[in-house]
Amino acid sequence: MLLPEELETEIQTMVREAEHVEEKLIDIIYLLQNHFGCFSDVALGHASRLTGKTTVELEELCTFYDFIYRRPVGRFVIHVCDGVACWMHHENSLFQYLCDKLGVGVGEVTEDGLFTVLPTACLGNCHNAPAMLINGKHYGRLTPKKVDEIIDELRENADNIIQCLCR
Ligand code: FES
């Protein structure tokens, strides 16, 4: 599957202007991820072709970063903080609450294609624990009631929100 000319040119320019291609790899991966909806095998192949890095080298990056999705995800990717401060402020697992509410396991996509729930390391929002991040937006001081309201609002406005805001 070919890339749109504009995206191909943008990535070629990034590679050409970089002193070391490694400094641009994450940005390139996010561009491809946003185009394909996840960093699929096809996207991985394009990244390898355009950067000269092997697929193994790129896989190593993918396994390190929580925000690179190697499998399809929902329109809203809910990163629930798995850090100590958040656990201390939520004795019942917020992660499990979301999975039960949405009827999915870790990394799965809801039947309507809207949601994926993933655990993630500290989001740097400890003072608002427990916290989560959805498509780049922070939510904190969460309670089940607040989570319900957030999910309802996302469902209602699903058509207006861009997928995978990871950059
Ligand atoms: S531990 Fe959850 S935001 Fe830091």
Side-chain angles (χ1 to χ4, degrees), residues 80-87 120-132 138:
V80 180
C81 180
D82 199 26
V84 173
C86 286
W87 275 104
T120 194
C122 175
L123 293 166
N125 196 18
C126 313
H127 58 293
N128 285 318
M132 64 184 182
H138 282 280

Side-chain angles (χ1 to χ4, degrees), residues 60-77:
E60 286 171 356
L61 273 182
C62 297
T63 57
F64 185 79
Y65 288 100
D66 287 346
F67 296 86
I68 299 171
Y69 314 127
R70 288 286 284 123
R71 289 188 296 176
V73 290
R75 176 175 292 192
F76 302 105
V77 184

Side-chain angles (χ1 to χ4, degrees), residues 55-154:
T55 54
V56 172
E57 288 171 321
L58 293 168
E59 282 280 18
E60 286 171 356
L61 273 182
C62 297
T63 57
F64 185 79
Y65 288 100
D66 287 346
F67 296 86
I68 299 171
Y69 314 127
R70 288 286 284 123
R71 289 188 296 176
V73 290
R75 176 175 292 192
F76 302 105
V77 184
I78 306 173
H79 287 269
V80 180
C81 180
D82 199 26
V84 173
C86 286
W87 275 104
M88 286 171 56
H89 283 82
H90 199 262
E91 59 188 32
N92 297 312
S93 166
L94 179 63
F95 186 85
Q96 195 57 53
Y97 179 78
L98 270 160
C99 287
D100 292 346
K101 177 180 174 60
L102 297 171
V104 289
V106 56
E108 293 176 353
V109 182
T110 53
E111 277 184 15
D112 58 10
L114 287 182
F115 299 100
T116 295
V117 186
L118 293 169
T120 194
C122 175
L123 293 166
N125 196 18
C126 313
H127 58 293
N128 285 318
M132 64 184 182
L133 188 75
I134 305 178
N135 292 26
K137 181 175 179 182
H138 282 280
Y139 297 87
R141 300 179 193 270
L142 295 168
T143 60
K145 182 174 181 293
K146 203 164 169 183
V147 167
D148 290 348
E149 290 169 0
I150 292 165
I151 297 298
D152 286 348
E153 188 183 335
L154 291 174

